[in-house]
Amino acid sequence: MPTPHIAAEPGDFAPVCLLPGDPRRAAHIATNFLDDAREVTAVRNMTGFTGTYRGAPVSVMGTGMGIPSAMIYAHELISDYGVRHLIRVGSCGALPADVGVGDVILAMGACTDSGVNRTRFGGLDFAAIADYALLRAAVDAAASTDRPVHVGNVFSADFFYHPDSGQLDTLGSMGVLAIEMEAAGLYGLAAAEGAAALAVLTVSDHIRSGEAQSSDERERNVTASTTIALEAALVVAGI
Ligand code: HPA
């Protein structure tokens, strides 16, 4: 039965789903990393695919940018399509000098200026954390990549163009590794709905230095984070 934003049939999605922000990235992952991938939804061009990775059923679907958009798709995937493990594969901007462009960040926790988790949590501050089994599997998989991999806190921002640049100093002083726009919402949603979530992020730019990847580098670098995410998917799929 289709949902307002996903036109797929029951059973069309695997229990584990990778979630890039960009639907074209979803198509890229389906084409280049999955076997026998087929498109299962394309409402608003937000494409989703299901195939297999090393024999295990895996789906991949775009979420758009920002917590509200990502939570719409993640909620419908969990409540209507039986997705239990959600792995965001996305980009982020790094803050500390020792995190480089092209590095991978596993978001153990996600701070935010969004109000969604406070709303869920009765006005209290919810610690938005990754699922431990997914995180541990991703850390194990990271040992096989040639990219530096960092594990720690990220900040899921409501603003891409923030009006107060002074906020960066606050984030940096508390050890935040990078800024992105979805993980905290995804982690809160997963907690509320009994699912498991992890964000595997590629550093596309450095916020302090202004250094940014070329499109070629972005293409190559997505391989490291996608492989880590898929290997983690295999572990939770029980294969
Ligand atoms: N802010 C938010 N999201 C991002 C950034 C950023 O600087 N870079 C890549 N994704």
Side-chain angles (χ1 to χ4, degrees), residues 49-94:
F49 304 84
T50 296
T52 60
Y53 178 71
R54 300 216 272 133
V58 173
S59 296
V60 54
M61 179 166 184
T63 64
M65 290 180 285
I67 287 174
S69 180
M71 286 201 321
I72 287 172
Y73 295 105
H75 167 74
E76 293 179 9
L77 287 169
I78 295 167
S79 66
D80 290 78
Y81 293 101
V83 174
R84 310 309 312 156
H85 292 92
L86 303 98
I87 309 177
R88 162 161 160 70
V89 283
S91 62
C92 63

Side-chain angles (χ1 to χ4, degrees), residues 88 91-94 155 157 159-160 179-181 202 204-205 207:
R88 162 161 160 70
S91 62
C92 63
F155 187 87
F159 286 94
F160 187 87
I179 305 181
E180 54 86 69
M181 302 188 78
T202 304
S204 60
D205 51 273
I207 289 170

